[in-house]
Amino acid sequence: AEAAASATAGAAAGDGDLSSSSSKPFERLSVVVTDVRSFDDISVQIAGEPRVEWIAATLRGAALDEASSSLLGGPPAQGSLVAGKFSADGQFYRARVESATADGGARVTFVDFGNSETLPPTSLRRLPAELGATPPQALAAKLSFVKKPPSASASSRNDDGDDFNDDDDEFALAASELVASALGGGAPLEALVVSRSATARSGGPGKALSLVLVLEGGEGEGDKEEEEKAGSDADDDDDKKKKDGKSKNKNKDKKASLSTREAAARSVNAELLRAGLLRLDRPRFAARGGSSSSSSPSVPAHLSETLSALEEAQDAARRGRRGIWEYGDPGGDSEDEGERRGGGRGGWGSRR
C-alpha cells in the first residue's frame, strides 16, 4: 500500500500542463471508486488495502451505538476526526468535521470513502484512539485528458453536496451521470496513473490523482463493430452461445494483458469522448495523434498510445455528430486549433 503512495510521472495540474520529461510507463493500480461528485471529482480506494477492513472492524467492535461514554459532549471542532453514522446504512465510519451546525451536529466528510453528509449530534461519536493515526483511505482523483468545452460552466454539487447543480450545462451533467453509473458498482478497476500530487489523500489540495480508468468488459469502437458483425452471422442459438463464450474468454484474455492503447480505448475516459459529452484535453507539448510537437521532440510511447486511442474516440463522436458535436465544433482552445476543421457553423447549443 505504501508503494502505491509513491510519486509518479507528471504533475497534478491540468493535463494540458502535463510534463513530457518521464519515459516511464504509467503506474497501474487496482482501485475501487467510492464516490463520484462530478466527472472531474471522484474518490477511490486502493483495492485490497487491508487497513480499510481493519478500520471497519475496529469501529464495529467499539459498539459505538451502545457506548454513551463515546458521545462528543459538545460541538465538534472543525478539522477534528470523529466517528460518524452514515444515514444510508446506519454504520459508523471515520469522518472529518468540515463545519459545526447550530444544533451541535456537523457537516462531515467520510475520509475513507470521500462522500460528505450533514449529521445530527446523535450520529457523532468520539473516534477510538487507535484509529486516529491511520491516513485517510480515500484518494481524491479526476479523469485524465477530458474536459468541458470552453463555453461550458463548471459542474459541481449543490450547497448541501448532495446533487449535481449544473442545469445550464447538460453535457457536463450527463458526463457526471455516466461516470457515476459506470464506476459506482464497487468492483475493482484498473487505473493508469497519469499524474499524482504530493498530497494524494482525500481532503488534500486539488485533485491528487489523474487517472485513466479501464471499464470492466469495456470495448473500443473496433471491437464493437467486430462483435456486431459476428453476432449477425450466427445461424442459431447454439452457435451464438458458442461465439459468446469465445468472445468472453477472448475479452478476459485481453483484459489480463491490455496494452496502454487498449486500456485507454476501454476506459471511461474514452466512453465520455465517444459519447460526445466531453472533449479531449491534450497536453500542450503533444500534437494531434499523440506525436511530438515542435516544442517537444520526444513524447513517451505510452503517452502517445493513450492520446491516440482517446483521439479515435473523440473522432467517432465528431463523425457521428454526437453530443457537443451535434452542431459542429463546440469551440476550441489554442492548443486545439490544429484539429479544428470548420465543421458546422462554429456554434453549439442544447441537444434537441
Side-chain angles (χ1 to χ4, degrees), residues 42-306:
I42 64 179
S43 293
V44 301
Q45 291 176 348
I46 303 301
E49 166 57 60
R51 288 178 292 187
V52 173
E53 179 52 36
W54 174 74
I55 292 167
T58 302
L59 286 168
R60 289 193 300 267
L64 296 176
D65 260 330
E66 304 169 6
S68 59
S69 60
S70 64
L71 291 169
L72 294 183
Q78 184 176 8
S80 62
L81 279 179
V82 299
K85 183 190 289 187
F86 183 39
S87 62
D89 62 9
Q91 300 298 311
F92 281 95
Y93 300 94
R94 296 196 304 166
R96 181 182 61 247
V97 176
E98 306 295 348
S99 60
T101 57
D103 64 354
R107 178 72 183 172
V108 303
T109 296
F110 295 102
V111 296
D112 299 315
F113 297 88
N115 56 311
S116 299
E117 188 174 24
T118 299
L119 299 177
T122 54
S123 293
L124 300 172
R125 299 288 190 275
R126 291 191 181 92
L127 189 70
E130 62 268 36
L131 296 180
T134 304
Q137 297 304 296
L139 307 178
K142 54 169 277 188
L143 296 177
S144 306
F145 306 125
V146 291
K147 63 181 179 180
K148 299 179 293 294
S151 57
S153 60
S155 68
S156 63
R157 284 192 170 187
N158 62 20
D159 292 339
D160 293 329
D162 297 322
D163 299 303
F164 296 112
N165 184 23
D166 199 7
D167 293 337
D168 62 334
D169 186 356
E170 61 177 317
F171 296 111
L173 175 60
S176 299
E177 291 174 341
L178 187 153
V179 172
S181 175
L183 304 181
L189 299 170
E190 182 179 16
L192 308 184
V193 183
V194 175
S195 66
R196 183 197 297 267
S197 71
T199 303
R201 300 295 170 180
S202 183
K207 304 299 179 292
L209 297 177
S210 183
L211 306 174
V212 173
L213 282 172
V214 184
L215 291 171
E216 182 73 26
E219 299 174 317
E221 283 291 293
D223 297 306
K224 289 180 179 178
E225 293 173 1
E226 181 180 344
E227 289 200 357
E228 286 173 2
K229 181 179 179 181
S232 66
D233 292 338
D235 295 326
D236 53 50
D237 290 342
D238 289 339
D239 288 343
K240 187 175 187 300
K241 288 179 181 178
K242 290 178 182 179
K243 289 189 177 184
D244 287 344
K246 289 179 181 178
S247 177
K248 289 179 181 178
N249 290 333
K250 182 180 177 182
N251 286 338
K252 183 178 180 181
D253 293 339
K254 282 185 177 181
K255 187 178 185 298
S257 58
L258 289 180
S259 68
T260 299
R261 183 185 179 89
E262 289 170 332
R266 290 163 170 76
S267 68
V268 70
N269 311 56
E271 286 300 311
L272 291 165
L273 295 171
R274 200 172 286 126
L277 299 178
L278 300 175
R279 70 178 301 153
L280 184 66
D281 187 14
R282 184 184 303 107
R284 290 179 174 82
F285 61 82
R288 179 172 170 81
S291 60
S292 305
S293 67
S294 57
S295 62
S296 180
S298 178
V299 174
H302 63 280
L303 179 56
S304 178
E305 292 168 2
T306 300

